[in-house]
């Protein structure tokens, strides 16, 4: 049924695009709908729904009435779509502009904007002016927005729908229900914020996504208008950072080296009764610091301030409460095909076809699997699309009036495109993904052989070109402000970049908070990449005889050791798909995630997931070391628990109980 609807919408679009004088309802009913037995009223309702659907894709349907008639008459009115309706204007890019554009498009890791950026790139490739740009070997910044709330908020923002959600207020620690008009999303101080109009309080407010305590629910029957000239980046620039406070902590002897390096002793004050040391550690955000301190379990106890102490205890108690709940059945049954509405399926498929035809026109002869991979679908789905296309065409139905597509030799060729050879305009999501990504690259060191001035010039010029091509859709980009991706450790960044380029080994001293140790290693650098403003490099570690990931801000010393790498990095392997590199020594853990913690399945690249009745997930995840798993469970405060292996589950429970006993809880 969905395929039939898709085919009907496609045929209607082709008929209206390929008529000079317009077609009447009677002609469309006979030639496109092949409807000669239904009632006029039923056909009229179907035709109006289909027109609305095509308009939702951006096509302007012209209504031509007879001279002297002011109202639309079904018997005499004709319809057509102009050849230029909803067509993406030509965007001519230089090699440097193409390079920074692809770099910006690959910033987004999650589906909300990652899929939109990939779709926008396909449209530019379909215009024939964006070739296969070579990204710099081994360097790739990434932005990883804040879980499922981010994607729901982006959807609501583009649809101009208010949202409701549970929220823990910073001032009181109490959970409240909020009803908000989302105006913009952005990142500041390492946190993602929603800027919007709080309808309950009648004023603009900022909401930190990490304080949301429930799923974001769109109010689909309501709407609002975005304030004129709204700019999320400017709004967030005015957001004051929280003031520094001092935490007084009791720390176990010879533990928590990283915490000690950020602290100062307490001269003139005695140590704790059990021989622990008293440390003062500066912090700004109680909830954020509590997450870190909870992960240290029984090795640290908060004396003051009371707000921080309460936040740590609350997180540990939530983790303990999660452990006491009945465990769900541990299994991953074969999932049934997800139920999707007919409209949604047809909409997705038609949208894809409007990208597919111009893409094939400008990329003739690609292997069929390559085309499927470019669109993120299976080979079977692509063939289903092609089979609908070759059965679709103009109302006359002659051979030359049908799409002519051939894929019998496993390479796809298109010989007749029926005026669909140009891509449609960017959607608001696509324009936002590209323009926000370009704005984010402003302070990134020059890449791909470009000088700093060349990269800055290319960023400026390609932004102007894309903003012009996006038109009205580009205005949504002002509602997003991504975090900066420039590395704070500029010296280490340049050292690793040069070593990757020259194929040289590096010697480093590295602090591991999980093991609470500093180690010295010789490594072959492979990739340098970021998650938001935190930079990592992936390297083959000779002491571990395995690939490992290292955070630049935990590197204490780094320099070439004078030896060449055993396996040089290449452009083919330059973009990391995961922050975590699997190995044969991994521990496979079965986690139960709450609804609020479901995003952890994506964050830690779960290999299998299964939905739970309460909105949570079962997730099978690989971890490189089991030692820090109790820390992981305590840190996430009830959002995750270990089901298997049983020994790790018991260890995490004991860790949390020991931490709570310090507080008499």
């Amino acid at each position: 049924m969905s395929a039939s609807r898709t085919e009907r919408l496609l045929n209607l679009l082709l008929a209206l695009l390929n008529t000079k004088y317009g077609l009447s309802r009677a002609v469309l009913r006979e030639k496109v709908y092949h409807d000669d037995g239904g009632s006029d009223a039923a056909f009229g309702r179907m035709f109006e729904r289909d027109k609305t659907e095509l308009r939702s894709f951006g096509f302007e349907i012209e209504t031509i009435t007879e001279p002297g008639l002011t109202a639309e008459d079904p018997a005499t009115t004709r319809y057509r779509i102009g050849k230029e309706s909803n067509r993406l204007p030509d965007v001519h890019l230089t090699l440097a502009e193409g390079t920074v554009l692809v770099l910006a498009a690959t910033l987004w890791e999650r589906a909300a904007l990652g899929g939109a950026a990939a779709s926008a790139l396909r449209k530019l490739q379909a215009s024939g002016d964006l070739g296969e740009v070579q990204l710099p070997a081994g360097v790739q910044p990434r932005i990883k927005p804040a879980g499922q709330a981010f994607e729901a908020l982006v959807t609501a923002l583009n649809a101009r729908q208010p949202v409701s959600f549970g929220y823990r207020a910073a001032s009181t620690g109490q959970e409240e229900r909020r009803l908000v008009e989302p105006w913009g999303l952005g990142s500041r101080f390492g946190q993602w914020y929603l800027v919007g109009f709080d309808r309950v309080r009648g004023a603009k407010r900022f909401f930190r996504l990490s304080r949301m305590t429930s799923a974001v629910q769109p109010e689909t029957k309501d709407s609002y208008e975005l304030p004129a000239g709204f700019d999320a980046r400017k709004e967030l620039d005015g957001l004051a950072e929280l003031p520094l406070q001092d935490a007084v902590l009791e720390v176990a002897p010879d533990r928590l080296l990283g915490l000690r390096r950020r602290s100062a002793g307490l001269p003139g004050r005695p140590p704790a009764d059990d021989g622990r040391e008293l440390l003062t550690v500066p912090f700004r955000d109680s909830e954020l610091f509590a997450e870190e301190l909870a992960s240290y379990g029984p090795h640290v106890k908060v004396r003051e301030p009371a707000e921080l102490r309460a936040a740590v205890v609350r997180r540990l108690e939530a983790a303990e409460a999660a452990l006491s709940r009945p465990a769900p059945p541990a299994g991953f049954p074969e999932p049934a095909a997800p139920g999707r509405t007919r409209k949604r399926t047809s909409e997705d498929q038609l949208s894809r076809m409007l990208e597919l035809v111009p893409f094939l026109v400008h990329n003739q002869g690609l292997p069929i699997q390559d085309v499927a991979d470019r669109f993120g679908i299976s080979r079977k789905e692509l063939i289903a699309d092609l089979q609908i296309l070759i059965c679709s065409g103009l109302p006359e139905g002659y051979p030359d009036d049908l799409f002519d597509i051939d894929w019998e030799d496993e390479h796809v060729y298109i010989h007749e495109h029926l005026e669909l050879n140009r891509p449609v305009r960017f959607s608001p999501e696509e324009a936002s993904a590209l323009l926000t990504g370009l704005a984010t690259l402003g302070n990134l060191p020059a890449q791909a052989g470009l000088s700093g001035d060349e990269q800055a010039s290319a960023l400026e010029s390609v932004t102007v070109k894309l903003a012009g091509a996006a038109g009205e859709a580009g205005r949504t980009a002002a509602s997003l402000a991504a975090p900066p991706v420039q590395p704070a450790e500029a010296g280490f960044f340049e050292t690793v970049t040069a070593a990757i380029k020259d194929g040289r080994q590096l010697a480093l001293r590295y602090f591991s908070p999980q093991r609470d140790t500093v180690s010295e290693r010789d490594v072959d650098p492979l990739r340098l990449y970021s998650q938001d403003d935190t930079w990592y490099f992936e390297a083959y570690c000779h002491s571990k005889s395995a690939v490992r990931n290292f955070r630049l801000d935990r590197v204490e010393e780094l320099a070439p050791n004078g030896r060449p790498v055993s396996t040089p990095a290449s452009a083919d392997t330059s973009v990391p798909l995961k922050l975590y590199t699997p190995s044969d020594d991994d521990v496979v853990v079965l986690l139960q995630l709450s609804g609020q913690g479901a995003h952890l399945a994506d964050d830690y690249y779960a290999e299998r997931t299964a939905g739970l009745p309460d909105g949570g997930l079962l997730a099978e995840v690989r971890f490189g070391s089991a030692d820090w798993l109790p820390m992981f469970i305590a840190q996430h405060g009830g959002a995750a628990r270990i089901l298997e292996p049983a020994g790790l589950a018991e260890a995490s429970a004991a860790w949390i109980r020991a931490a709570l006993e310090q507080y008499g809880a």
Side-chain angles (χ1 to χ4, degrees), residues 325-326 328 592-596 610-618 638:
R325 298 188 189 108
Q592 178 187 355
L593 305 175
S594 69
Q596 285 301 103
L612 295 173
D614 63 357
L617 286 177
L618 286 177

Side-chain angles (χ1 to χ4, degrees), residues 499-558:
I500 292 172
K501 180 180 177 182
D502 299 336
R504 293 290 176 182
Q505 278 188 20
L506 294 171
L508 75 154
R509 280 175 50 84
Y510 186 73
F511 168 63
S512 171
Q514 285 83 18
R515 294 182 174 83
D516 211 9
T517 59
V518 175
S519 59
E520 296 185 358
R521 313 179 186 217
D522 291 317
V523 300
D524 296 346
L526 299 173
R527 303 175 178 90
L528 182 66
Y529 57 98
S530 73
Q531 297 286 4
D532 295 342
D533 56 356
T534 302
W535 280 86
Y536 303 78
F537 74 96
E538 185 182 71
Y540 179 82
C541 178
H542 288 274
S543 61
K544 297 293 184 181
S545 298
V547 174
R548 291 289 186 265
N549 293 280
F550 303 94
R551 276 180 57 157
L552 283 188
D553 60 356
R554 292 176 182 165
V555 174
E556 297 187 349
E557 297 177 11
L558 183 69

